């Protein structure tokens, strides 16, 4: 049997990896915006690149079971990696480049991150002024669903699914004994500090 398909595969893999290595070498850590801080917990070795294994490790660290962590991480990297890597060839390792994370921002969200990944205080406050009915500083499960539905953009099915999945995880991990998701907890989700708190609490 001819070995050319395998040779082609390894050539393709080598070219993609080489292009990405050059990109990695050019990365210089700088002042991070809010969205970069949000994801940096998953950059476990702090090199500016999040690999699939790091996301799995981070998800397990904050309390997800390993099977869910692997499935979720794989889906996230498949969607976001091509948007944040700068090479023309796809990288089979599915890396996510932290400095370009704003390019991976999905639609049908609250708008608390703007298109450049910066935190927008007014949009954050709107989450509670518009949807926190029972308590002005927390959301119930129904109020959270109300917010998600209000943010849906027409026919943005990927954005709907992404928003629902991420907020369901946050709610299940962070709700209090009364089923409330508090304002300070949501703020910690946006600035990324919540992940460190969850990991510390789990340890």
């Amino acid at each position: 049997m001819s070995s050319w398909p395998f040779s082609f595969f390894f050539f393709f893999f080598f070219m993609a990896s080489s292009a990405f290595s050059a990109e990695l070498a050019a990365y210089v850590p700088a002042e991070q915006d809010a969205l970069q801080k949000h994801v940096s917990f998953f950059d476990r070795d702090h090199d500016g690149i999040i690999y699939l294994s790091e996301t799995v490790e981070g998800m397990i660290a904050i309390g997800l079971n390993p099977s869910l962590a692997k499935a979720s991480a794989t889906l996230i990297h498949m969607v976001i990696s091509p948007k944040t890597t700068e090479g023309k060839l796809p990288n089979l390792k599915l890396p996510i480049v932290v400095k370009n994370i704003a390019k991976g921002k999905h639609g049908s969200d609250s708008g608390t991150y703007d298109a450049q990944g910066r935190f927008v205080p007014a949009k954050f406050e709107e989450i509670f002024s518009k949807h926190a009915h029972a308590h002005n500083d927390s959301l119930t499960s129904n109020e959270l669903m109300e917010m998600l539905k209000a943010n849906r953009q027409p026919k943005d099915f990927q954005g709907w699914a992404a928003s629902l999945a991420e907020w369901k995880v946050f709610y299940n991990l962070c709700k209090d004994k009364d089923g409330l998701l508090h304002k300070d907890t949501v703020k910690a989700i946006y600035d990324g500090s919540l992940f460190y708190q969850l990991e510390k609490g789990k340890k």
Side-chain angles (χ1 to χ4, degrees):
M1 181 181 293
S2 173
S3 63
W4 75 265
F6 298 99
S7 300
F8 178 79
F9 172 81
F10 285 115
F11 172 76
F12 179 80
F13 181 81
F14 173 78
M15 291 296 293
S17 298
S18 296
F20 185 67
S21 296
E23 177 185 336
L24 174 58
Y27 175 74
V28 179
E31 185 70 22
Q32 292 184 321
D33 59 33
L35 187 53
Q36 290 172 352
K37 289 178 180 178
H38 173 75
V39 303
S40 285
F41 170 81
F42 300 95
D43 181 13
R44 307 296 280 181
D45 60 3
H46 311 295
D47 66 349
I49 310 296
I50 305 173
Y51 289 98
L52 180 57
S53 60
E54 293 180 292
T55 301
V56 172
E57 179 185 336
M59 287 183 167
I60 293 173
I62 64 175
L64 272 68
N65 71 64
S67 295
L68 178 58
K70 290 176 183 177
S72 300
T74 300
L75 182 59
I76 288 169
H77 278 255
M78 288 177 65
V79 172
I80 297 180
S81 176
K83 298 178 181 179
T84 66
T85 52
E86 298 169 349
K88 294 182 179 181
L89 294 174
N91 191 303
L92 302 181
K93 294 182 179 180
L94 298 177
I96 292 174
V97 182
V98 174
K99 69 176 182 178
N100 296 330
I101 192 62
K103 296 178 181 180
K105 184 174 173 289
H106 63 75
S108 298
D109 62 0
S110 65
T112 303
Y113 298 125
D114 67 12
Q116 286 73 46
R118 297 170 298 197
F119 182 76
V120 184
K123 287 293 185 180
F124 173 75
E125 293 297 333
E126 278 185 11
I127 294 174
F128 296 90
S129 64
K130 289 184 176 181
H131 306 292
H133 308 300
H135 309 274
N136 61 11
D137 64 346
S138 57
L139 297 171
T140 65
S141 177
N142 289 337
E143 289 167 351
L144 181 60
M145 288 304 303
E146 175 190 298
M147 180 193 76
L148 294 177
K149 291 177 181 178
N151 291 336
R152 286 178 178 174
Q153 299 168 353
K155 298 182 180 180
D156 178 27
F157 303 114
Q158 181 176 313
W160 299 1
S163 292
L164 177 62
E166 64 193 15
W167 279 105
K168 279 292 187 181
V169 169
F170 291 143
Y171 178 79
N172 289 330
L173 287 174
C174 306
K175 65 184 177 182
D176 68 9
K177 60 182 178 60
D178 298 315
L180 298 175
L181 187 60
H182 290 270
K183 187 174 184 177
D184 57 350
T185 302
V186 176
K187 180 68 177 294
I189 292 172
Y190 278 108
D191 66 24
S193 62
L194 176 74
F195 303 130
Y196 298 94
Q197 296 170 26
L198 288 173
E199 181 177 31
K200 183 178 179 181
K202 190 170 182 290
K203 287 181 178 178

